[in-house]
Each structure stands twice: as structure tokens, then as C-alpha cells.
Amino acid sequence: MSLSIVILAAGKGTRMRSDLPKVLQPLAHKPLLGYVIDASMSFKPKELVVVYGYGGDLVKKTFPSPHIQWVEQKEQLGTGHAVQQAAPLIKDEGNTLILYGDVPLIDQKTIERLVIKGQKNLAVLTYSKKDPKGYGRIVRKDDRIQKIVEEKDCDESQKNIKEINTGIMCAPNHLLKNWLKRLTNQNVQKEYYLTDIVGLSIEDNIEVLSESADNEVSITGINSKSELANMERDYQLMTAKTLMDQGVTIIDPSRIDIRGEVTAGKDVTIDVGCIFEGKVVLGNHVKVAAYSHIKDSIIGDHSSIEPYSHIDESKVGSHCRIGPFARLRPGTKLQSHVHIGNFVEIKNSEINDHTNINHLSYVGDSLVGKSVNIGAGTITCNYDGANKHPTKIEDDVFIGSNTALVAPVKIGKGATIGAGSTITKDAPPGDLTVARSKQTSISGWTKPTKNKET
Ligand code: UD1
Ligand code: CA
């Protein structure tokens, strides 16, 4: 069987009230059309045609895949007209599945069943909706589909029909191409309705089959920001459920946001308000405390991320403790048993086993050895205003509080740096290095007095 897929994505989406075309509006950080394209790819179609219109170049640029053929629908004259634009790219043999660019969460199994039914017949994906308002209604006679009537063309009794057209259809190519040629725009909206191919199929004595969707979210289209927000919650709940099914403890599945992909080991716990972006890997027994934000990072076994921590493009080893209020910026690599405490920022640095940076520090472009203690308020001055320079801190070093390490600089193994030092030259191993003016006391010093008001 050879399958072609046509995705209709030319609509402007006026109700979004946005400069961004509707199909590029993000659901969990991914454009709506991206879901439909990815789902389509999984069917390995012979052709994948996207009919675009509004915001054309931007839509095309967002999906540079060589597997996609783009067809422009200059004027949006209806769903039938949209498919007509794609028809020249569709071979005569095989069948075609029609999807909508704004119906992102389609269910693969359901579509597979529809595609099987659409090998010799027109097959329509339908759904029984409590409130069918706005949708095309499926009109049946003796259980068999006769036609689809758009809401605006419905008479009073047709308006009571609950079974709706989801818009998703599949048909043999030679029949579809023939029907498309016969469409007219004689209806209330003066549009070329794709749904009219149902009537044409009946005219040709070819039975119209239907498949029904199992759940509403899989056929729901997005037209407005509030529908987008509703779907975001549905989607997040589905994602949370998948993780919980794998054994992850999620304290409140309605308060988690996964904008990408989270892979988790055993006995992982995620507290409320956490956001995950890109690809995040959590090892076994990892704890992520409330309101943490983790992006494109790996967290090793038994590590705990304390509340309000931000971790971006970083690798955290096993048995580490990060935060609360810590920030790991891109290029951070922590080995095992590392403690990073509150108000500590690490950037592009490697920190080795059992090292502690517990309070109020900035460590950038640094290589820090094992069992180092970096005191509160330590800053690596890695930037001279023009260039960045490295800092090297060897094993077993103790850096006293409020030290400035002016890079490039190296602190030798086992060295101690006195609190408040500004280190501009390499410090030798083993020694105590202090770089600050000596404390002096001036006896008999009198405090300034306030000037008399004149
Ligand atoms: C369509 C169906 C209706 C169904 C509903 C499901 C027709 C005539 N009606 O109605 O039976 O219940 O979808 O949501 O098919 N599009 C184009 N070019 C166009 C018009 C639309 O690409 O000229 C695309 C849109 O971008 C969208 C999809 O087709 O992805 C559906 O368009 P929309 O205007 O929402 O169709 P409805 O009138 O709601
Ligand atoms: Ca619609």
C-alpha cells in the first residue's frame, strides 16, 4: 500500500489575534503543525504534502525537512480547494490521508484503522460530541453515511445530530482526484467543501465508511488562545501520566510542565511547579524539588535538586546536591558528591568529586579539583572586559570567603587562600596565600559629627 498524506495548514487563525500563523502557535514549546508532521512521518508516507497559505515562508522555514512538499493555497477558498492544490502531487495509485495542521494530538492507532478503511472506500473519522456546535454533522440513513452538512447549512433537525466530522479522512487516490474535480461552491459560505466528496461517493455508489475516535482531545482543533491553553493542560496531564506509569512520583500532575522529553530512572520524585525543557535525563532516585527549571541536562543517580534551581545544558553527577536557588549555566559539569548551594552560579566549568561551593559564588570557565571548599562570596573574575580567561583550582584547596580570583590564575593543590583576598598571581600548592591589606587600628580616632543646620 502506498500512502500519501496531505496536511491542511493554510488558515490564518484570525481568532488567535497573533502575528504568528496559527499552525506555528506552540503547544508545550512545539508548533502545532510540528505534532502533525511528526505523526505523519511515523506512517512513512510516500508523499507528505503541506498546504500552506498565511505566513508561508515562516511556516516553511520552521520545518526544513526534505520529506515535505509545500503547496501554496493563495486564497483560502475552503478545505476542498485546499486539497485540490495538493492533487497534482498525488499519484493515481495508493490512498491519501487528510490531516489538519491545527489538530495536533491525533491518535496513531485510530488513524491506522482509518487508513485501512480508506483503501477502497472513502473513510471519515467521526466523533460523537455532547455539544456538536460548529462542526459538520454526519447524516446517516439506515446507519450508512449519506452526507456531511456544515453547521451553517444545517436545518433544525440536522443541528441535533451529535456525530460530527473531525475533518480527518482517507480515500483511494483515483477516486479522491475525480471527486475533487467535481466540487462546487454552492453553499452558504461559497466555499469548496471537502466534505462534499461524501455525497459524490454515494453518487458513485461507493459506500462511505467511518471510524470513530476514542477520545476528544485526539480530534480537537485549536482556534483560540484559550483552546490552546486547555490543550496544553490536557497534553501536560498526558505526559505526566506517562511518567507516572513508568514509576515517577509526581506530587501534583496538574502542576508540572514538560516542554520536551524527560527520561527518568527508578524512584524519581518531582515536586510541584517544575518546568522541564528540551531533553532532560533524570537518573535513579533523583529528587527535583519545587519550582525548579531544568533544560537539556542530565542529573545523575541519587542527586537532589533543591527548590528554585535553574539548570541549563549541564551535567550533574551522582549524589550531588544543588540549590536551593542555584544556577547551573551551559557547560557545567559536576562529578559526584558535589554540593552547590544557594545563590551560586556556575558556568562552563568542571567541578570534581566532593567539592563544595555552598553560598553566594560565581565560578566561570574554571576547572575545580576534588574535595575543594570554596567559601561564601568567592568570585572567579573570568572576564577582563574583552576576553574570558580560565581559572584552575587543584584538589584539596580551601578558598576563604569573599575571595576574588582574577583569571587566568591557578591555585595549587592543597593551598589555602585567606578570606577577602584578591588573587592575581598563581598561588603555590600547600601554602596559605593572603592578598589583602593588613588590618590596622587607629587609636583615639573620633567619629565625624553631623554639621549644624544653617
Ligand atoms: C471543517 C469541516 C467540518 C469539520 C471541521 C472540523 C469542511 C467544509 N468542514 O470545518 O465538517 O467538522 O472542519 O474542525 O471541510 N484550511 C485550508 N484552506 C482553506 C480552508 C481551511 O488550508 O481554504 C485548513 C485550515 O487551516 C484548518 C482546516 O483546513 O487546518 C480546517 O479549516 P476550518 O476553516 O477550521 O474548517 P471548518 O469550517 O471549521
Ligand atoms: Ca475549524
Side-chain angles (χ1 to χ4, degrees), residues 7-12 22-23 51-52 73 75-82 99-103 134-137 148-150 164-167 169 189 191-195 219 221 223:
I7 303 175
L8 304 189
K12 175 167 189 266
K22 176 162 81 170
V23 290
V51 182
Y52 71 97
Q73 185 193 21
E75 265 183 296
Q76 277 86 65
L77 303 178
T79 49
H81 182 257
L99 299 173
Y100 282 7
D102 57 359
V103 179
Y135 288 87
R137 308 297 206 284
I148 298 176
V149 186
E150 290 308 295
I164 59 112
N165 170 33
T166 65
M169 298 184 181
Q189 304 189 79
E191 281 184 8
Y192 294 88
Y193 289 167
L194 178 63
T195 44
I219 55 110
N223 299 297

Side-chain angles (χ1 to χ4, degrees), residues 99-163:
L99 299 173
Y100 282 7
D102 57 359
V103 179
L105 300 182
I106 49 174
D107 178 67
Q108 191 150 344
K109 293 251 154 54
T110 311
I111 303 292
E112 277 167 13
R113 295 197 302 265
L114 182 79
V115 168
I116 290 168
K117 288 186 178 167
Q119 304 226 339
K120 293 211 173 74
N121 300 70
L122 169 59
V124 180
L125 184 65
T126 73
Y127 185 72
S128 286
K129 218 172 169 308
K130 271 199 206 90
D131 175 17
K133 198 163 180 283
Y135 288 87
R137 308 297 206 284
I138 305 291
V139 178
R140 290 180 185 262
K141 196 173 146 200
D142 303 329
D143 239 23
R144 297 196 166 187
I145 298 183
Q146 297 303 305
K147 57 180 173 181
I148 298 176
V149 186
E150 290 308 295
E151 166 92 20
K152 286 181 180 141
D153 301 295
C154 274
D155 61 32
E156 284 312 308
S157 77
Q158 287 167 338
K159 276 189 183 156
N160 291 327
I161 299 172
K162 304 280 185 221
E163 191 185 10

Side-chain angles (χ1 to χ4, degrees), residues 16-91:
M16 281 289 169
R17 303 189 190 284
S18 169
D19 286 339
L20 196 64
K22 176 162 81 170
V23 290
L24 295 186
Q25 298 284 332
L27 180 72
H29 265 202
K30 178 169 148 178
L32 293 173
L33 181 56
Y35 290 85
V36 188
I37 288 175
D38 288 352
S40 299
M41 295 291 198
S42 72
F43 294 111
K44 302 201 165 41
K46 197 153 189 91
E47 276 101 27
L48 175 55
V49 183
V50 180
V51 182
Y52 71 97
Y54 183 76
D57 277 350
L58 189 59
V59 178
K60 274 204 265 186
K61 258 190 238 149
T62 308
F63 303 99
S65 164
H67 300 294
I68 301 173
Q69 301 183 67
W70 297 92
V71 176
E72 190 179 7
Q73 185 193 21
K74 288 202 177 71
E75 265 183 296
Q76 277 86 65
L77 303 178
T79 49
H81 182 257
V83 182
Q84 279 172 352
Q85 311 309 302
L89 294 173
I90 297 169
K91 304 266 180 321

Side-chain angles (χ1 to χ4, degrees), residues 245-318:
D245 289 346
Q246 291 162 10
V248 176
T249 300
I250 294 178
I251 301 299
D252 181 355
S254 71
R255 284 187 287 168
I256 182 170
D257 287 83
I258 297 173
R259 301 164 185 170
E261 200 183 301
V262 173
T263 316
K266 270 199 182 135
D267 296 304
V268 167
T269 301
I270 300 170
D271 209 336
V272 301
C274 293
I275 300 175
F276 299 89
E277 275 182 56
K279 274 202 160 62
V280 173
V281 179
L282 306 173
N284 298 315
H285 301 273
V286 164
K287 284 195 172 61
V288 183
Y291 303 106
S292 291
H293 188 163
I294 306 182
K295 183 180 172 197
D296 292 313
S297 293
I298 300 174
I299 314 294
D301 296 350
H302 296 276
S303 284
S304 79
I305 312 301
E306 301 297 327
Y308 297 97
S309 295
H310 287 241
I311 302 181
D312 185 4
E313 289 180 44
S314 294
K315 195 164 179 249
V316 173
S318 64

